[in-house]
């Protein structure tokens, strides 16, 4: 109708209505795809999954819903015959959503790899790989996050070279600010390579005594015998004296009995 072809705020009325309909359709498609994938993951996890895969979240495939929404928006917006300057702005938003969902999908893929590595480590007798799995998982997530930021910036036509150059100029300040982080990282590597203790060992570090629950990048978490959790910075473990009770081959029991000197031998 002619009244729908009247122009207001750069676009015609029917184009505004089309944008609204496309946005609504993309949201509905996102919710529908996410729901179907969530049901699929729940059925697969309860019927077919084993080991650590039973602990994955139902929403682990959630990024595919955003991908479907981004594709619906991209296809719909190109059908409206929008002016070039308006279409560029809208497609940049769609491209950002698509890149974000891709990075999120890679992040969730790391969770699946972590579940596989956890099951593989549980089948071995060594405790070193049990401690390495969380560190490897966190390293992969940090790598995905950094590469994801670069990937999104590159797809949004941001000059990644100048960004990396700026990071290089600020590298010295960052290194000075992150010296404690680096010390904790080297401390965790030292603990793993030297095998000072493993997860589950009973240790005494300074005035902290308890069972090791987690060895991370920054700190080691120890569950004390009064059920509190103490985080010990890994940098202190390089020079600290660690008494590992879990390495004992036997336990000494010192039992002292007091008896009177006139006790008969058969009574003793």
């Amino acid at each position: 109708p002619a009244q729908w072809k009247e122009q207001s705020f750069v676009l015609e009325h029917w184009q505004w209505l089309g944008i609204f309909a496309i946005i609504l359709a993309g949201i509905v498609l996102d919710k529908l795809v996410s729901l179907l994938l969530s049901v699929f993951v729940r059925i697969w996890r309860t019927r077919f999954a084993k080991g650590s895969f039973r602990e994955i979240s139902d929403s682990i495939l959630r990024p595919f819903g955003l991908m479907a929404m981004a594709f619906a928006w991209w296809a719909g917006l190109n059908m409206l015959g929008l002016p070039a300057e308006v279409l560029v702005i809208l497609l940049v938003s769609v491209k950002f959503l698509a890149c974000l969902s891709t990075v999120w999908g890679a992040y969730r893929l790391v969770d699946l790899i972590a579940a596989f590595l956890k099951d593989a480590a549980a089948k071995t007798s060594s405790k070193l790989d049990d401690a390495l799995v969380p560190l490897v998982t966190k390293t992969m997530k940090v790598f995905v996050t950094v590469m994801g930021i670069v990937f999104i910036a590159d797809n949004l036509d941001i000059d990644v070279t100048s960004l990396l150059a700026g990071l290089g100029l600020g590298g010295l300040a960052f290194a000075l600010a992150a010296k404690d982080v680096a010390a904790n990282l080297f401390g965790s590597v030292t603990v793993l390579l030297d095998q000072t203790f493993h997860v589950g060992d009973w240790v005494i570090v300074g005035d902290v005594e308890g069972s090791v629950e987690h060895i991370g990048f920054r700190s080691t978490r120890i569950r004390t015998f009064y059920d509190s959790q103490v985080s010990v910075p890994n940098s202190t473990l390089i020079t600290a004296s660690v008494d590992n009770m879990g390495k004992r081959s036997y336990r000494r029991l010192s039992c002292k009995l007091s008896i009177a000197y006139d006790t008969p031998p058969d009574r003793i």
Side-chain angles (χ1 to χ4, degrees), residues 3-20:
Q3 61 269 24
W4 287 102
K5 294 184 179 180
E6 297 178 2
Q7 187 173 356
S8 62
F9 299 107
V10 181
L11 303 179
E12 298 179 3
H13 292 168
W14 73 272
Q15 290 176 324
W16 283 113
L17 182 63
I19 292 176
F20 175 78

Side-chain angles (χ1 to χ4, degrees), residues 62-75 90-107 148 151-153 155-156:
R62 178 68 177 82
F64 288 98
L66 292 180
M67 290 182 185
M69 181 169 64
F71 177 77
W73 287 358
W74 176 81
L90 294 177
L91 289 182
V92 166
S93 303
V94 174
K95 186 184 293 186
F96 173 77
L97 180 62
C99 294
L100 182 63
S101 62
T102 302
V103 175
W104 190 8
Y107 202 81
F151 175 71
I152 293 175
N155 279 273
L156 295 180

Side-chain angles (χ1 to χ4, degrees), residues 60-86:
I60 194 167
L61 298 181
R62 178 68 177 82
F64 288 98
L66 292 180
M67 290 182 185
M69 181 169 64
F71 177 77
W73 287 358
W74 176 81
L77 291 175
N78 281 286
M79 294 172 58
L80 294 179
L82 300 175
E85 59 274 10
V86 176

Side-chain angles (χ1 to χ4, degrees), residues 100-128:
L100 182 63
S101 62
T102 302
V103 175
W104 190 8
Y107 202 81
R108 289 299 179 87
L109 178 62
V110 173
D111 292 333
L112 294 177
I113 296 176
F116 172 77
L117 293 177
K118 186 177 179 180
D119 289 342
K123 297 177 181 178
T124 63
S125 58
S126 174
K127 293 184 178 180
L128 178 61

Side-chain angles (χ1 to χ4, degrees), residues 174-186:
F174 178 79
L176 292 175
K179 60 179 182 179
D180 292 336
V181 177
N184 290 325
L185 176 60
F186 282 113

Side-chain angles (χ1 to χ4, degrees), residues 44-65:
W44 173 80
R45 189 188 61 193
T46 55
R47 295 186 179 181
F48 305 104
K50 298 180 180 179
S52 299
F53 287 101
R54 287 184 171 271
E55 301 175 3
I56 63 174
S57 173
D58 292 342
S59 60
I60 194 167
L61 298 181
R62 178 68 177 82
F64 288 98

Side-chain angles (χ1 to χ4, degrees), residues 202 245 248-253:
W202 169 17
M245 299 295 185
R248 295 178 299 178
S249 57
Y250 60 87
R251 295 190 180 187
R252 177 186 179 186
L253 175 62

